[in-house]
Amino acid sequence: ELAAAFQVFNQYTQRLEESYNQLQKRVKEIDKEMALANARLKDKVQELDSLTKYLNNLLSSIHSGVIAVNMERKVSTINKAAEKILKLTNSDSAGKQVEEIFKNSDGSTSLLLLALEKKKDYIDVERKIVTRQGVVKWVESSVSLIKDANENTIGAVEVFRDLSEIRELEKRLRSADKLAALGAMAASI
């Protein structure tokens, strides 16, 4: 009976050893799969990082101001041109409500917020805005809604350019024209 128990014990030990070897083999297979998955994941992370850097460089290379807001009306993205036009720094604007950064000079609703409220794009709208420092500027803006893959609105983006210099030059030109007309009238008299 002891011999039979010893034989059963040996059989269980042998089966246990075989199971352990199979388990070791499976662990090695899983390790290989994990290493491959990690390598693919690392490549994707590098690809996303490269794409992010490219898009940030692209955004900062644009000479027009670009501001994006989310549905909570908070600034999610602002480029260097917008910071320059509005005399801001990224830390001044990131995460702030858009109304804290600039507003329409007549007190009406910001074009970004109007686009979110009405679910409508606005193209080439000229208006006067007031910056955080109280400086009035003429800008020409286009606002588009930002949508996700399911066509749900997730924010809005405004692209604008400063027309203040152009307006000042137009004003000077009108003054010069008036002076020229006045001079011509005085000369004819």
Side-chain angles (χ1 to χ4, degrees):
E1 196 172 291
L2 188 61
F6 188 69
Q7 188 178 9
V8 170
F9 177 74
N10 281 340
Q11 288 174 351
Y12 280 122
T13 304
Q14 201 172 27
R15 279 192 233 158
L16 190 59
E17 195 174 313
E18 287 173 11
S19 294
Y20 178 75
N21 288 336
Q22 287 176 352
L23 187 60
Q24 287 283 59
K25 185 179 175 184
R26 183 66 184 135
V27 165
K28 287 179 183 176
E29 289 173 4
I30 290 174
D31 281 347
K32 285 180 185 177
E33 290 173 12
M34 290 291 286
L36 186 61
N38 283 340
R40 276 190 253 141
L41 185 60
K42 184 179 177 184
D43 289 345
K44 288 292 182 189
V45 167
Q46 287 175 341
E47 184 180 328
L48 283 173
D49 187 44
S50 176
L51 183 60
T52 300
K53 285 178 184 174
Y54 173 75
L55 290 174
N56 285 336
N57 288 337
L58 183 69
L59 192 59
S60 61
S61 298
I62 296 173
H63 294 291
S64 295
V66 178
I67 295 180
V69 295
N70 58 25
M71 293 303 288
E72 289 80 39
R73 307 168 125 184
K74 293 183 179 179
V75 174
S76 57
T77 304
I78 185 166
N79 74 343
K80 289 182 183 187
E83 290 174 352
K84 183 179 176 187
I85 293 168
L86 300 173
K87 298 194 181 340
L88 297 168
T89 63
N90 198 0
S91 61
D92 287 343
S93 53
K96 298 265 174 101
Q97 295 285 326
V98 73
E99 302 98 327
E100 293 178 45
I101 295 171
F102 71 95
K103 55 188 174 215
N104 291 345
S105 66
D106 62 2
S108 62
T109 305
S110 165
L111 210 53
L112 274 166
L113 303 181
L114 199 59
L116 287 174
E117 288 171 15
K118 303 228 179 201
K119 304 283 189 221
K120 176 181 167 185
D121 294 344
Y122 292 90
I123 308 298
D124 297 335
V125 177
E126 285 189 27
R127 68 192 204 286
K128 282 196 284 187
I129 61 168
V130 179
T131 67
R132 194 180 206 177
Q133 295 82 13
V135 178
V136 177
K137 293 188 173 257
W138 275 98
V139 295
E140 179 182 62
S141 299
S142 292
V143 177
S144 299
L145 296 173
I146 303 170
K147 302 204 179 224
D148 65 10
N150 297 322
E151 291 297 310
N152 297 317
T153 301
I154 57 171
V157 61
E158 180 173 358
V159 179
F160 60 96
R161 62 188 183 111
D162 189 356
L163 300 177
S164 299
E165 267 186 53
I166 294 170
R167 293 292 179 249
E168 183 61 32
L169 291 173
E170 287 174 349
K171 184 178 171 184
R172 287 183 190 173
L173 184 60
R174 282 192 298 275
S175 293
D177 286 345
K178 286 179 184 176
L179 287 175
L182 190 60
M185 188 171 71
S188 65
I189 290 177

